């Protein structure tokens, strides 16, 4: 490796470390692919499979078909949902937002106070860290899609109950069916356990890709690669775990053929 390349790698790594709030340089240099790869098993004909079909009354000027279908799902089902008791305490539902044809989707747990107030996913402190993680990957929030398992805030940000997850997760599955991402990142235990239909905790799940089946049954139908990683709220409490999260996100970048900001 030439001196110029090494200098470029160091500069790029330091910038990324700054973004993630890391202080030291990892011993192992990342291998970043420069090509845009197609992810096997994602996309294909199923991208256009109809679920919620948008009609004129729910489509806004400039909406893509996917954006129209997401709007329809939100307007006709999620906003008026009373499937669990969280509907009684919410200020509003939080559907999710971002690119309606994204390569990458982040799935969190549930709205917190700020999200409930603003009606947007990940806009509080954890959301600011998520933004830094996305920026470190060389992406913007507008390029990805961000949503949660629960569309309503649990009081005092308590953990979602099994009943709430059962009631709400069909909306998430429908969202992901419409979005047809190339890769999903699940943030924290509840999102990872829900999407992978497992009782394993995040510490054991993270660090490798899993197959996410839209049908909910392993081996049934098309799958999307899913990377579980730590939730940004946990990283705010345990910053020493950021390095593991960054390693997970680097695997996602490699899968998507992304180079980090400043990379060649
Ligand atoms: N935590 C989440 O899981 N989701 C949000 O939208 C905000 C905080």
């Amino acid at each position: 490796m030439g001196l110029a390349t090494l200098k470029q790698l160091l500069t790029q790594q330091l910038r990324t470390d700054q973004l993630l709030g890391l202080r030291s340089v990892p011993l192992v240099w990342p291998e970043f692919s420069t090509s845009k790869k197609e992810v096997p098993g994602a996309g294909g004909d199923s991208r256009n499979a109809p679920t919620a079909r948008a009609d004129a009354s729910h489509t806004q000027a400039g909406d893509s078909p996917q954006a129209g279908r997401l709007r329809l799902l939100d307007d006709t089902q999620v906003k008026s949902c009373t499937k669990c008791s969280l509907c009684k305490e919410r200020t509003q539902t939080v559907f999710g937002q971002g690119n309606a044809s994204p390569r990458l989707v982040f799935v969190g747990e549930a709205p917190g106070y700020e999200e409930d107030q603003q009606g947007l996913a990940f806009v509080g402190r954890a959301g600011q860290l998520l933004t830094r993680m996305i920026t470190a990957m060389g992406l913007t929030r507008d390029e990805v899609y961000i949503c949660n398992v629960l569309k309503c805030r649990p009081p005092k940000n308590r953990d979602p109950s099994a009943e709430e997850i059962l009631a709400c997760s069909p909306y998430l599955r429908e969202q992901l069916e419409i979005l047809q991402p190339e890769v999903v990142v699940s943030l924290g235990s509840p999102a990872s356990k829900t999407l992978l239909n497992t009782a394993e905790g995040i510490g054991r799940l993270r660090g490798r890709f899993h197959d996410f089946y839209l049908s909910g049954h392993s081996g049934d139908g098309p799958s999307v690669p899913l990377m579980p990683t730590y939730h940004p709220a946990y990283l705010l409490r345990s910053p020493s775990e950021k390095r593991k999260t960054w390693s997970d996100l680097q695997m996602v970048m490699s899968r998507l053929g992304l180079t980090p900001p400043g990379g060649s």
Side-chain angles (χ1 to χ4, degrees):
M1 182 186 300
L3 207 58
T5 318
L6 188 61
K7 193 174 162 211
Q8 194 180 16
L9 274 174
L10 266 170
T11 312
Q12 166 192 307
Q13 187 66 41
L14 284 169
R15 280 181 55 193
T16 307
D17 284 0
Q18 272 172 353
L19 279 166
L20 283 175
L22 297 172
R23 287 215 175 79
S24 58
V25 178
L27 294 176
V28 182
W29 288 109
E31 291 287 336
F32 292 114
S33 160
T34 49
S35 64
K36 298 260 175 214
K37 278 185 265 159
E38 282 299 317
V39 178
D45 289 343
S46 61
R47 286 187 88 93
N48 298 319
T51 46
R53 193 175 287 283
D55 62 28
S57 61
H58 290 280
T59 306
Q60 290 188 358
D63 269 359
S64 64
Q66 284 87 348
R69 283 162 63 195
L70 290 169
R71 195 183 300 284
L72 180 71
L73 177 63
D74 190 18
D75 286 354
T76 63
Q77 296 186 53
V78 174
K79 280 183 180 147
S80 54
C81 182
T82 55
K83 283 194 201 163
C84 79
S85 59
L86 294 182
C87 66
K88 294 185 201 137
E89 311 213 26
R90 71 182 176 219
T91 306
Q92 56 194 314
T93 55
V94 179
F95 185 71
Q97 75 274 2
N99 190 321
S101 304
R103 299 188 71 202
L104 179 59
V105 172
F106 290 89
V107 180
E109 180 177 321
Y113 174 81
E114 282 299 332
E115 290 76 20
D116 173 73
Q117 292 293 307
Q118 297 185 38
L120 294 168
F122 280 99
V123 288
R125 274 188 76 222
Q128 285 161 22
L129 179 54
L130 179 60
T131 305
R132 290 211 295 282
M133 288 157 60
I134 293 169
T135 308
M137 296 174 80
L139 296 167
T140 65
R141 281 179 70 119
D142 288 346
E143 286 175 291
V144 303
Y145 194 89
I146 303 171
C147 58
N148 286 302
V149 175
L150 294 194
K151 308 305 184 202
C152 296
R153 180 189 182 213
K156 299 191 182 140
N157 298 346
R158 65 158 168 73
D159 287 347
S161 71
E163 292 73 30
E164 289 156 3
I165 292 176
L166 198 65
C168 210
S169 56
Y171 296 136
L172 174 62
R173 287 189 181 275
E174 174 113 25
Q175 257 175 317
L176 292 169
E177 173 105 10
I178 295 169
L179 293 163
Q180 294 282 325
E182 289 175 45
V183 176
V184 174
V185 172
S186 53
L187 300 165
S189 262
S192 306
K193 287 177 175 175
T194 301
L195 290 174
L196 294 175
N197 205 10
T198 177
E200 293 258 46
I202 188 64
R204 295 179 73 90
L205 291 172
R206 61 151 293 275
R208 65 198 150 92
F209 282 103
H210 300 253
D211 288 323
F212 162 62
Y213 293 91
L214 280 171
S215 64
H217 305 291
S218 66
D220 199 357
S223 68
V224 180
L226 180 145
M227 174 63 74
T229 196
Y230 290 121
H231 193 287
Y234 171 72
L235 296 177
L236 288 171
R237 297 192 300 274
S238 309
S240 60
E241 302 286 40
K242 281 183 186 173
R243 189 165 299 285
K244 290 184 194 157
T245 300
W246 183 226
S247 147
D248 299 340
L249 296 181
Q250 284 177 321
M251 279 188 257
V252 171
M253 289 164 68
S254 176
R255 189 89 182 210
L256 291 170
L258 297 174
T259 48
S264 51

